[in-house]
Amino acid sequence: MVSTTERTGGAPDTSVLAALRSPKRLRVEVLAGLVVALALIPEAISFSIIAGVDPRLGLFASFTMAVTIAITGGRPAMISAATGAVALVIAPVVREHGVDYLIATVIVAGLLQIVLSVAGVAKLMRFIPRSVMVGFVNALAILIFLAQLPHLIGVPWLVYPMLAVAIAVMVLLPKLTTVVPAPLVAIVALTALTMVFALNVPDVADEGELPSSLPSWLIPDVPLTLDTLRIIAPYALAMALVGLLESLMTAKLVDDITDSRSDKTREGWGQGIANIVTGFFGGMGGCAMIGQTMINVKVSGARTRISTFLAGVFLLILVVGLGGLVGQIPMAALVAVMIMVSVGTMDWHSIAPKTLRRMPIAETTVMLVTVAVTVATHNLAYGVIAGVLTAMVAFAHRVAHFTEVDKIGDADIDQDGAVDTRVYKVRGELFFASSNDLVYQFDYLGDPPNVVIDMSEAHIWDASTVATLDAITTKYAAKGKRVEIIGLNEASEKRHERLSGHLAAH
């Protein structure tokens, strides 16, 4: 199924062969896959409703995504399936053009993900600051919790004590034993209680009809024309970008939790292959599922591809073969699992008063912007983009203040005893934010005929700085004075020589 040893920073826990040889390790992986499969069912159904498609498209997508990414992905133990972010992107396609265009969109999105990944889009992850990651995690926790509220409002009163019992089981059982995952015990116990006493509470069957047959190969019935491509291309690109961003962010989060390193490029094109396979089996597509990944990795302790593969297999068995039984699982049990995931996902240290007092305002602002935009749009990709942009502005503002211009003395005195040359020392990193004020740091009227600008402790980063230096030279020239720029390092000198005198309109 996969290579025996994963190349993830040498972490032995991700070895499939080691897990197969260890009954204890294998039990963890198998039970983790079962718990994730149970949690996937209501989520896949609800995401299908958001996208405006039959629940089977969401459930089949979750099966094919999980099984395929278990083989092709670069982050062992990460769960991929139908997701809300993808559902929001593709919903207009279904509404305006129908299901066949949706399937074509999913296939094209998969192709784009492969191309983008091979082109190196995963390397952009290095530009995502820690504050954005913290905001991403906290926003995720909030979204997971908010998604449970519809199942807790306007429901029979029995739901609330059942919810409390399930949470108590998941809190207390791990203190006694970890042989069986606490979420699985809570789901089985509450399901048995509901069936024995015939309790009238919302269950999985109320969420939508479960499929009774296996997924089959499907080619979308759309004309192979440029008009079709023009219709689906914008949605396919949006889906590809949102899917890659969420998947790569989730992979990074799992890397931090497991203290191991994943292959982000492989994860990217693996997601593309998974979406192509999903499209040809009539699924709605998807990407990494952060909530279910947290159940798998953080709650259940899974570390290998086995759990991801089995999550997909168990999902198909449960909805097709055991649909009648699965339909009787009370939603209270699954809601309790997701609430515990939400609590465990939240970075409580980041919002502690002591931490907030110690953190720079800019860092806290970046985190809050990420959280606010994500929660407001219910789209993690938008939140991350807003957070990164805020971090860029904050960084530019901070670095801009590191630039200094000092008069360091008069270099020459003419024969009449008057100052002939004045020397300025420029220090710092010069780019558009810091160099715009540079032009105001010189005394054009009062300076002597010759001016030397020493830039041995500065670096020119962009054309804005070169344009500013040209403006300074021009202002002095208008007063009949000559400027000499000295001390440029090699990179700065090359940039200055290439651009100086060519930036102003003539």
Side-chain angles (χ1 to χ4, degrees):
M1 182 176 73
V2 290
S3 58
T4 57
T5 305
E6 305 298 343
R7 302 298 182 189
T8 52
D13 280 345
T14 62
S15 169
V16 171
L17 186 57
L20 292 173
R21 288 173 173 171
S22 169
K24 181 180 179 181
R25 184 75 248 165
L26 185 60
R27 184 188 70 244
V28 170
E29 299 292 322
V30 172
L31 294 178
L34 180 57
V35 173
V36 170
L38 290 168
L40 277 173
I41 295 170
E43 298 257 320
I45 294 173
S46 64
F47 296 148
S48 300
I49 294 170
I50 291 173
V53 298
D54 189 285
R56 287 178 297 178
L57 271 71
L59 290 165
F60 288 160
S62 296
F63 159 67
T64 53
M65 287 292 298
V67 169
T68 307
I69 205 67
I71 300 170
T72 64
R75 174 64 262 180
M78 193 167 81
I79 304 297
S80 291
T83 61
V86 169
L88 288 170
V89 171
I90 62 176
V93 182
V94 182
R95 187 169 57 249
E96 297 171 16
H97 304 284
V99 173
D100 282 304
Y101 277 83
L102 159 67
I103 295 171
T105 301
V106 171
I107 295 170
V108 173
L111 291 171
L112 288 174
Q113 286 179 326
I114 294 173
V115 172
L116 290 170
S117 300
V118 172
V121 72
K123 295 177 182 177
L124 297 177
M125 286 297 295
R126 71 184 68 177
F127 297 109
I128 297 180
R130 180 186 176 278
S131 297
V132 174
M133 276 298 299
V134 172
F136 172 81
V137 169
N138 290 344
L140 162 66
I142 294 170
L143 287 180
I144 292 173
F145 181 79
L146 292 177
Q148 311 315 309
L149 294 183
H151 301 293
L152 300 174
I153 298 173
V155 295
W157 68 269
L158 274 173
V159 168
Y160 303 111
M162 291 177 72
L163 180 73
V165 168
I167 290 176
V169 168
M170 286 183 281
V171 171
L172 299 175
L173 184 62
K175 297 179 180 180
L176 301 175
T177 179
T178 56
V179 173
V180 181
L184 181 58
V185 173
I187 292 170
V188 171
L190 261 65
T191 303
L193 186 69
T194 302
M195 295 174 65
V196 170
F197 293 99
L199 300 178
N200 185 24
V201 293
D203 54 28
V204 171
D206 295 330
E207 297 297 303
E209 184 182 356
L210 297 177
S212 57
S213 60
L214 296 172
S216 57
W217 185 260
L218 175 68
I219 296 178
D221 183 17
V222 296
L224 300 178
T225 64
L226 286 176
D227 286 337
T228 301
L229 186 60
R230 273 195 291 268
I231 291 171
I232 67 176
Y235 300 105
L237 180 60
M239 177 183 167
L241 293 174
V242 168
L244 282 176
L245 182 57
E246 289 211 22
S247 299
L248 295 177
M249 290 287 285
T250 306
K252 190 174 188 305
L253 183 60
V254 177
D255 289 352
D256 294 339
I257 292 171
T258 60
D259 293 323
S260 61
R261 186 177 178 182
S262 59
D263 186 338
K264 305 294 190 303
T265 298
R266 176 176 174 180
E267 181 60 39
W269 59 254
Q271 289 286 334
I273 293 174
N275 271 309
I276 292 172
V277 171
T278 297
F280 281 118
F281 276 96
M284 59 179 272
C287 62
M289 290 197 76
I290 308 163
Q292 274 63 26
T293 298
M294 291 300 99
I295 293 176
N296 197 44
V297 174
K298 203 167 185 179
V299 177
S300 302
R303 291 293 182 271
T304 77
R305 298 176 185 272
I306 296 174
S307 57
T308 305
F309 184 84
L310 290 180
V313 173
F314 283 143
L315 173 65
L316 190 65
I317 293 172
L318 288 170
V319 299
V320 175
L322 302 172
L325 179 61
V326 170
Q328 297 184 64
I329 296 175
M331 285 303 298
L334 298 176
V335 168
V337 171
M338 297 311 294
I339 288 176
M340 290 301 294
V341 170
S342 173
V343 172
T345 301
M346 190 77 176
D347 187 347
W348 297 102
H349 175 72
S350 69
I351 59 173
K354 185 177 180 181
T355 304
L356 293 175
R357 284 194 298 270
R358 184 180 294 115
M359 275 288 178
I361 294 177
E363 299 287 329
T364 303
T365 301
V366 170
M367 180 192 74
L368 292 176
V369 166
T370 305
V371 172
V373 173
T374 301
V375 173
T377 62
H378 282 241
N379 192 315
L380 289 162
Y382 292 161
V384 170
I385 292 170
V388 170
L389 290 175
T390 304
M392 289 169 60
V393 172
F395 175 76
H397 181 267
R398 186 164 60 248
V399 173
H401 295 293
F402 291 163
T403 303
E404 298 177 357
V405 179
D406 297 319
K407 293 179 182 179
I408 62 172
D410 302 322
D412 295 315
I413 306 295
D414 65 16
Q415 58 184 2
D416 297 323
V419 176
D420 181 66
T421 303
R422 176 153 292 157
V423 180
Y424 286 91
K425 183 81 168 183
V426 180
R427 299 180 178 88
E429 304 301 320
L430 301 175
F431 63 111
F432 62 90
S434 60
S435 62
N436 285 336
D437 291 333
L438 195 64
V439 72
Y440 304 113
Q441 306 299 315
F442 298 87
D443 184 2
Y444 301 103
L445 288 174
D447 279 344
N450 297 298
V451 176
V452 175
I453 302 177
D454 183 356
M455 302 195 56
S456 56
E457 295 182 27
H459 188 99
I460 298 175
W461 286 103
D462 61 5
S464 295
T465 303
V466 177
T468 298
L469 292 174
D470 284 354
I472 293 170
T473 303
T474 301
K475 283 180 177 291
Y476 274 116
K479 303 289 188 294
K481 301 173 183 181
R482 188 178 67 86
V483 175
E484 182 183 4
I485 299 173
I486 65 171
L488 288 171
N489 59 42
E490 184 179 354
S492 298
E493 187 171 10
K494 285 182 179 179
R495 186 171 286 110
H496 185 263
E497 287 180 354
R498 186 171 67 251
L499 299 176
S500 181
H502 300 286
L503 298 174
H506 296 288

